[in-house]
Amino acid sequence: MTVKLILRDKEFEVKPGMTLLSSLQKVNVLPESVIATREGEMILEDEILKDGDVVKLIAVISGG
Amino acid sequence: MRQHKLALCKEHYLEWVPEQTERFIRKYGMFGHDDKILVAVSGGKDSLSLWDILVRLGYQADGLYIGLGIDAGIGYSSESHRLAEKFANDHNLKLQVVDIEKEYGQPIPVLAQISHRGHGKPCAVCGLTKRHVMNRIARDLGYDVLATGHNLDDEAAVLFGNTLSWSVEYLLRQGPVLPSADGLARKAKPLCRLYEREMTAYAILRGIEYIYEECPFAEGSTSIYYKEVLNRLENDRPGAKLTFYLRFLEARQTGLFAESKEPADYLHPCSNCGQATSAPGLCSFCRLIEKVADQAPLVSNL
Ligand SMILES: [Zn+2]
């Protein structure tokens, strides 16, 4: 099992036991450009991600 | 660094954002409780959150939705319209609606084609049209001020672009509030000191249903590119975006950019719509619409 990170139509997998911040760095997503949610709840950068977690990343940048 | 505000519990975070907004509305003298405010609502997170915040703060705020007629296979405009209407209905608020195709004969993508402006992208024509319509509705329906949902990242990205090209004429006019001028409504940006990430968190925690899909034409735009560059900077140097914006406001206030005294810079009222424009005669919007009328038979034959 792993941790799954989903951003729009992209899916990333990382090892469990890392913080959200390290996981985002691992898959090259800028923490500043997303809000992370797990089971509908917002989670913060120091959250440790566990085996089987599915983290939905909501892109914050909009154009205009 | 302010991102720690996201660590507030939900209830406190949802109080903190309106408190901050109120502070900046007062600090920059944007408007008061007696003013009639028109909020430009796109269906996106910032404008719907702004409307929500202003109403929570007790301001008299109606919405204005401008139907651009952008479909691009995802029903972009119809979905954003639905979300704006839903927000208005759920909160018992008044939403003014202007449909560009109904009023001017063609939706934005066609207006842009006819105008030959913007190198195949309709964004320039879209911006021009939205500005015109916002000013017209504010004036015709007697609103005192037009409020838009521009957040700190929007403002920093615009500032970054204008600084790279040293567009002094734009730098002179960029700010939290722009006073009214001939035929142009006062404009205010109450969210200009809140990070885009903070606004996204507000919309999510507040349960606001907003359009998550990007405008199909915004993909690959310069403004998104500048935002990404600034986010990289922010990531390495927390606070960089806010400092960039605030130091600019301070520098301008202390006279970094001198107001030009060239007579050519004075604004004239457009001979058709009355909105201020830099050249005598028709404003760029009225020239666009004139061109559209000239080419109407061609378009209907497409
Ligand atoms: Zn005009």
Side-chain angles (χ1 to χ4, degrees):
Chain A
M1 288 273 284
T2 51
V3 172
K4 206 177 272 183
L5 304 173
I6 303 173
L7 175 60
R8 293 198 191 269
D9 51 5
K10 278 181 281 190
E11 259 191 47
F12 308 97
E13 287 190 356
V14 293
K15 280 186 298 191
M18 289 191 290
T19 61
L20 171 64
L21 182 64
S22 312
S23 307
L24 290 174
Q25 283 164 347
K26 197 101 194 160
V27 300
N28 261 321
V29 170
L30 274 182
E32 181 70 10
S33 67
V34 292
I35 292 277
T37 61
R38 188 182 53 198
E39 288 163 29
E41 295 288 324
M42 208 169 93
I43 55 170
L44 298 172
E45 286 166 4
D46 54 3
E47 183 83 15
I48 308 252
L49 303 179
K50 303 181 304 289
D51 215 10
D53 275 353
V54 176
V55 177
K56 202 178 155 214
L57 303 174
I58 297 165
V60 308
I61 294 185
S62 66
Chain B
M1 180 47 202
R2 273 225 317 226
Q3 295 300 333
H4 69 277
K5 288 296 176 194
L6 290 177
L8 288 173
C9 71
K10 180 176 164 180
E11 287 71 40
H12 284 106
Y13 187 77
L14 290 176
E15 292 307 317
W16 177 79
V17 173
E19 277 164 23
Q20 292 297 302
T21 309
E22 175 74 8
R23 209 181 112 209
F24 301 128
I25 289 170
R26 287 174 196 224
K27 179 178 168 73
Y28 297 111
M30 295 185 188
F31 42 74
H33 284 273
D34 295 331
D35 285 320
K36 277 182 70 189
I37 303 162
L38 184 63
V39 183
V41 177
S42 67
K45 65 182 188 309
D46 301 298
S47 56
L48 286 176
S49 296
L50 173 61
W51 201 7
D52 180 72
I53 291 165
L54 293 182
V55 170
R56 286 182 68 197
L57 290 170
Y59 289 102
Q60 312 173 51
D62 293 348
L64 167 62
Y65 177 80
I66 303 178
L68 305 168
I70 294 172
D71 183 83
I74 56 166
Y76 177 76
S77 287
S78 55
E79 180 62 3
S80 53
H81 186 190
R82 185 185 72 80
L83 293 168
E85 289 281 4
K86 182 178 190 296
F87 184 89
N89 285 335
D90 290 353
H91 296 81
N92 223 342
L93 300 169
K94 188 169 179 183
L95 181 69
Q96 314 278 3
V97 177
V98 173
D99 187 89
I100 297 300
E101 183 170 3
K102 273 189 207 135
E103 301 243 349
Y104 302 106
Q106 300 294 344
I108 290 290
V110 180
L111 288 183
Q113 260 172 23
I114 295 172
S115 78
H116 296 295
R117 289 167 64 125
H119 313 286
K121 277 217 164 199
C123 308
V125 164
C126 186
L128 174 71
T129 306
K130 284 192 286 194
R131 273 194 301 279
H132 177 88
V133 169
M134 290 189 286
N135 278 311
R136 178 171 69 83
I137 298 295
R139 184 190 58 189
D140 291 358
L141 302 182
Y143 289 96
D144 300 296
V145 59
L146 196 61
T148 56
H150 294 95
N151 57 47
L152 176 65
D153 295 48
D154 294 318
E155 293 303 290
V158 168
L159 176 60
F160 190 58
N162 288 338
T163 304
L164 285 179
S165 58
W166 289 115
S167 304
V168 174
E169 65 282 19
Y170 290 116
L171 290 168
L172 270 167
R173 272 177 285 157
Q174 189 187 351
V177 61
L178 195 65
S180 61
D182 310 283
L184 303 181
R186 190 196 325 160
K187 295 192 182 71
K189 298 169 182 167
L191 306 180
C192 67
R193 300 256 314 246
L194 287 147
Y195 281 84
E196 185 144 37
R197 191 159 181 263
E198 291 172 335
M199 291 317 302
T200 308
Y202 181 84
I204 293 170
L205 292 174
R206 187 83 177 131
I208 294 173
E209 257 186 90
Y210 66 89
I211 187 148
Y212 180 56
E213 296 307 321
E214 188 55 79
C215 171
F217 295 110
E219 212 176 293
S221 70
T222 314
S223 64
I224 289 183
Y225 172 68
Y226 288 159
K227 281 185 176 182
E228 287 166 353
V229 170
L230 290 169
N231 275 350
R232 255 175 269 163
L233 191 65
E234 179 79 23
N235 209 57
D236 299 336
R237 296 167 180 272
K241 287 187 285 197
L242 183 60
T243 306
F244 180 49
Y245 182 60
L246 289 185
R247 289 285 158 80
F248 156 71
L249 293 181
E250 281 169 28
R252 193 186 46 194
Q253 203 169 25
T254 51
L256 178 65
F257 305 106
E259 192 85 55
S260 164
K261 289 174 189 68
E262 293 293 314
D265 284 358
Y266 290 137
L267 296 177
H268 312 262
C270 164
S271 56
N272 180 54
C273 72
Q275 292 188 20
T277 174
S278 49
L282 289 180
C283 69
S284 357
F285 181 75
C286 291
R287 270 186 280 131
L288 166 68
I289 295 307
E290 200 181 47
K291 204 164 171 182
V292 170
D294 286 348
Q295 298 199 9
L298 295 174
V299 171
S300 59
N301 285 335
L302 282 180

